[in-house]
Amino acid sequence: MKQSTNGTTQTLNKHTLSVLVSYNLNALSRIIGIFSGKGFEIDSISFGSGKQSDLARITITTHGDVQIIEQINKQLNKIIDVVKVNDLTYDSFVERELALIKVTATRSRRSEIMQIAQVFRAKVIDISPEKLTIEVTGNRDKVNAFIGMLDPFGVTEIARTGSVALKREFDGNV
Amino acid sequence: MAQAKTQSLDSAETDKVQTTPEPAVLNGAELLIRTLEDIDVDTIFGYPGGAVLPIYDALFDVHDINHVLIRHEQAGTHAADGYARATGKPGVVLVTSGPGGTNTVTGIATAAMDSIPMVVFTGQVPTDLIGNDAFQEADIVGITRPITKHNYLVKDVNNLEQVIREAFHVATSGRPGPVLVDLPKDMLNTECHYSGLKKISIPSYKPTKEGHSTQIAKAAKLLSEAEKPLIYAGGGAVLGEAWEELTAMAERLNIPVTTTLMGLGGFPESKPQSVGMLGMHGTYYANMAMTECDVLLAVGARFDDRVTGRLDGFSPHSKKIHIDIDPSNIGKNVPVDIPIVGDVKKVLPAIDQQTTKPEIDDWWDTIHKWKREHPLKVPESEDTIKPQLMIEKISEYTNGEAIVVTDVGQHQMWAAQHYTYNYPRSFLSSGGLGTMGYGFPAALGAAFGCPDRPVVCITGDGGFQMTVYELATAVEYEVPLKIAIMNNQCLGMVRQWQELFFDKRYSHSILKKGNPDFVKLAESYGAVGLRATNPKEMDEVLEQAMNINDRPVVMDFQVEEHENCYPMVPAGAALNEMVEGDE
Ligand SMILES: Cc1ncc(C[n+]2csc(CCOP(=O)(O)OP(=O)(O)O)c2C)c(N)n1
């Protein structure tokens, strides 16, 4: 983990950045290059089109102390194709991730797994004599918790989208 | 902490300006040249090859653009860089695909580290062959992504003109930097229209220029109340052309000014407020002033590790104000109390206006005492040439009015210390990347950019050999460049570190056995070669060299081989823990 060089000690924090950028692969490579080239971390990244078809919205979750997060923000803003960087962490925001989890489910344990899925509002989307594939959405913590619950049954494969997030329109302050 | 770069996305104004009737159609190569002419490009440093032959064909009939045939693409980028640093205009490079492009990488990285405006055009294989490992194909956009401010692959000839204009706009605005445009060969051969669009606006790119007024007021208050203020000016003061504003402010407020290597010439060194260069090989008094000051005004400087020394010992008592056009420079290495994002040329006068002259007589007494007790030393010798004296002599013979271009090593640091820089854009050196081989081609580029000014390249026997082949270019174009080799028969800076920190184990740093006869080498190219082995000969050589105006002169100054460059802040030490030298 990269530490800030200016000697200040600060706690590491999770941040969710929403980046609006021209829809082209050079721009996406530049964004990823900032992280790999400067030693920043990416916990998850998702890339898809935004409202305008020529712009992509990239959601990045990362962590670091205040100085590093500030550098990430500034470095992203320097990329010519980046239109806007929002650090949602400072706002009220909604965040979702989708995961598909393939778990070993013999007949005797199948209903137990399905009960757990129900608690997490997850859906079984594929079934075979030996396995279930389950779809779950939620914030990262919820997805992590669900995977943790399934782990003892034997999780064989996982595909996660990474978080997507938007700022909340109304934060309760009138 | 939302950072909006721009509000409106639909404000792209592209004013079409009525121009004289154009030939209805031209091909991409002709469009490129036509556009370069329109944006007043007067010099291109280039080297031909298959993928760019259509451009070379278009150039054949063009007379208002001077194409300089360099001998290696790396040198071409350094030449464009030197041209840009000396003139303030963007340097332009044209090379072929594959190896032509990959050879530019070191020069682009050098320019990127020092924020030099440059536009590099590379040929590329035709679009339908991209990705096939075609002959002379290289993913140059991918390779140069981390070392360019921005880069483009042109996939539609209808965007070509827009891309070219954008490239120059991006390279020269905000914090300047290199931009690369990759041109597949089919783009050059396809017919298209020239539109003459003038105004370029990239909605997602709007550098901040004006500083924030509250921050400016805070900075002025801090400076007015300072007891030991110091101005620390970096390359941004030169690139931002803020030397007049800086000089006016420092003189009016009588505040001491130190510059970085990149900032040399941004403030005249003969002014009483100058305390010279700071950092690893800075003056004693500059480093002490940095350590002791109570208010620090950083002007377009980036707190590089060669300047700060060990961070916890860097200017520990000061409140720090930092003006920079690039927000990511602020607070990156050193926490700052008053950040001001903006153009130094605009922000400095705004601060100046609101600042009252601080009472700092005691501070000046301290600084004068440091200056008296710890001046830069020029050791004396009758029979060998001391490197420091070599620089002083060059300063003398050029009246301090030359554009001095250095390579990297001991000679670079001595050139920074012992030449008196009174003019901006007069000290060109690879500061950030520290690229050996930079000096000579960059000096060549500066000479093309400023034909009316004397240009002196101060280089090492190691570094000169990295790009020595450009003597061919200098001779072909009759460039009256002076090349002064500080020939210590070794990789001096490496040798110095080995002497001081590796027990005098001189591993692979001695060049003596393989060094060429630089006089004969120069002569074989058709340049003048001169040699001096003692101070008297040095005077004669300099006298003779200054009077040659039709071709390059190579001066082989055989200097004292074991001289070390001091003062020196050892790696890991704080600025005030300088080593001052042998005696
Ligand atoms: C391309 C490159 N390779 C290696 C280095 C490391 N390096 C820094 S200074 C130096 C020695 C330079 O020797 P010379 O050109 O003779 O100059 P001197 O130090 O003797 O003045 C070396 C090898 C570098 N800066 N650039």
Side-chain angles (χ1 to χ4, degrees), chain A residues 26 30 67 71 77 80, chain B residues 3 5 145 204 328 332:
Chain A
N26 195 21
R30 274 190 183 268
Q67 199 214 353
Q71 264 300 312
N77 264 298
I80 307 293
Chain B
Q3 296 194 353
K5 283 176 33 164
R145 200 174 283 128
S204 59
S328 76
K332 183 171 61 184

Side-chain angles (χ1 to χ4, degrees), chain B residues 240-270:
Chain B
E241 312 212 308
W243 46 81
E244 279 169 18
E245 290 77 4
L246 175 62
T247 309
M249 177 173 177
E251 283 194 302
R252 187 180 76 80
L253 302 173
N254 195 29
I255 295 178
V257 182
T258 179
T259 67
T260 66
L261 184 76
M262 302 310 298
L264 283 175
F267 184 78
E269 291 194 305
S270 52

Side-chain angles (χ1 to χ4, degrees), chain B residues 19-40:
Chain B
T19 45
T20 42
E22 290 302 318
V25 259
L26 58 184
N27 67 25
E30 290 159 348
L31 178 95
L32 168 66
I33 300 303
R34 178 77 186 80
T35 311
L36 293 182
E37 286 178 309
D38 187 55
I39 40 194
D40 291 331

Side-chain angles (χ1 to χ4, degrees), chain B residues 220-235:
Chain B
K221 181 160 184 290
L222 209 55
L223 279 169
S224 306
E225 291 165 2
E227 286 170 13
K228 303 181 203 172
L230 178 67
I231 296 174
Y232 148 54

